[in-house]
Amino acid sequence: EPEVTQTPSHQVTQMGQEVILRCVPISNHLYFYWYRQILGQKVEFLVSFYNNEISEKSEIFDDQFSVERPDGSNFTLKIRSTKLEDSAMYFCASSDEVASLDTQYFGPGTRLTVL
Amino acid sequence: KNEVEQSPQNLTAQEGEFITINCSYSVGISALHWLQQHPGGGIVSLFMLSSGKKKHGRLIATINIQEKHSSLHITASHPRDSAVYICAVRLGPGGGADGLTFGKGTHLIIQP
């Protein structure tokens, strides 16, 4: 069964460093999402992406964040200068265009630890 | 701003019991998702509802749009059902790019 994959599974970085989290959505999906979950808190929406541009973004998704679909398969989240409070689990998700109310399929997540 | 409230926050039950988890939200939505998160952190989509009722195996999800309320039921619960169950709603007109708004989750433990 097709699945969303994410790399790395765990990323440790120093405060102020740039990180890139990678996702490979399900191949025929056209909508892509990033969510984050700070330890012990609820999952929060960051950004959605469709047709090579951001469709929607939350207040969390400030200028330190950017997303890109550099090729036909990868979808990346970049944090330019990490802060301690960026430590969280980051989930990528994708959904199909066929049904406008389609299920979002989640990747296994990348645990980001900022020291 | 839409708030998603789940109850209970924590639920411990014996194997075989019928489980109900509730979700309420404060504004109109285009769809509601029930998700399962296991201790390792991975999230699995269980149901996506815009009206009525859906059933998959021992899981049943219902939604009442007028009352802004949804329930997730587990029949004949089993220890492997132990997980965090999360309700998430999609605002907007139903376009595929809408991000989800999540509840805090219900931590379910089923004891043998």
Side-chain angles (χ1 to χ4, degrees):
Chain A
E1 184 175 333
E3 59 182 16
V4 177
T5 59
Q6 290 185 241
T7 54
S9 57
H10 190 189
Q11 173 93 42
V12 181
T13 190
Q14 295 290 324
M15 189 170 57
Q17 295 296 305
E18 175 183 286
V19 294
I20 297 176
L21 309 183
R22 291 183 167 79
C23 169
V24 179
I26 293 173
S27 62
N28 63 335
H29 285 186
L30 296 174
Y31 296 91
F32 314 113
Y33 312 82
W34 282 103
Y35 297 91
R36 80 171 185 189
Q37 185 177 32
I38 295 171
L39 186 64
Q41 298 186 22
K42 64 182 180 180
V43 180
E44 300 172 290
F45 168 70
L46 291 178
V47 66
S48 61
F49 191 87
Y50 171 70
N51 200 25
N52 285 319
E53 61 182 18
I54 291 174
S55 295
E56 184 188 9
K57 60 183 181 179
S58 71
E59 294 172 350
I60 303 167
F61 193 88
D62 61 20
D63 292 343
Q64 291 300 310
F65 292 89
S66 62
V67 290
E68 195 175 39
R69 189 154 161 81
D71 53 42
S73 60
N74 289 285
F75 179 51
T76 62
L77 174 70
K78 181 193 290 186
I79 309 175
R80 287 191 186 82
S81 178
T82 50
K83 303 186 284 284
L84 295 177
E85 53 265 39
D86 293 328
S87 294
M89 182 77 95
Y90 288 81
F91 293 101
C92 171
S94 69
S95 64
D96 195 353
E97 185 183 24
V98 173
S100 63
L101 298 179
D102 200 14
T103 298
Q104 293 184 20
Y105 295 85
F106 286 80
T110 292
R111 183 170 299 282
L112 176 65
T113 301
V114 181
L115 302 176
Chain B
K1 182 179 177 181
N2 192 37
E3 296 293 333
V4 180
E5 299 290 338
Q6 287 186 236
S7 63
Q9 282 188 302
N10 297 284
L11 178 58
T12 300
Q14 296 298 311
E15 182 174 357
E17 286 189 40
F18 181 81
I19 303 299
T20 296
I21 299 170
N22 296 299
C23 175
S24 60
Y25 49 92
S26 55
V27 300
I29 63 169
S30 57
L32 182 144
H33 295 246
W34 281 102
L35 308 160
Q36 182 189 56
Q37 186 172 32
H38 279 282
I43 295 175
V44 175
S45 182
L46 299 175
F47 294 104
M48 192 276 295
L49 296 161
S50 55
S51 64
K53 176 180 176 179
K54 285 190 176 179
K55 184 176 189 293
H56 185 245
R58 296 181 292 106
L59 300 178
I60 303 165
T62 63
I63 188 168
N64 185 319
I65 297 294
Q66 286 73 30
E67 295 186 3
K68 297 185 174 60
H69 180 269
S70 175
S71 293
L72 176 69
H73 306 285
I74 306 174
T75 62
S77 59
H78 190 276
R80 65 176 175 265
D81 297 326
S82 299
V84 177
Y85 291 83
I86 303 171
C87 172
V89 300
R90 168 182 268 162
L91 305 177
D98 299 332
L100 299 176
T101 300
F102 291 74
K104 292 182 179 179
T106 294
H107 189 191
L108 175 66
I109 297 174
I110 303 297
Q111 296 177 333

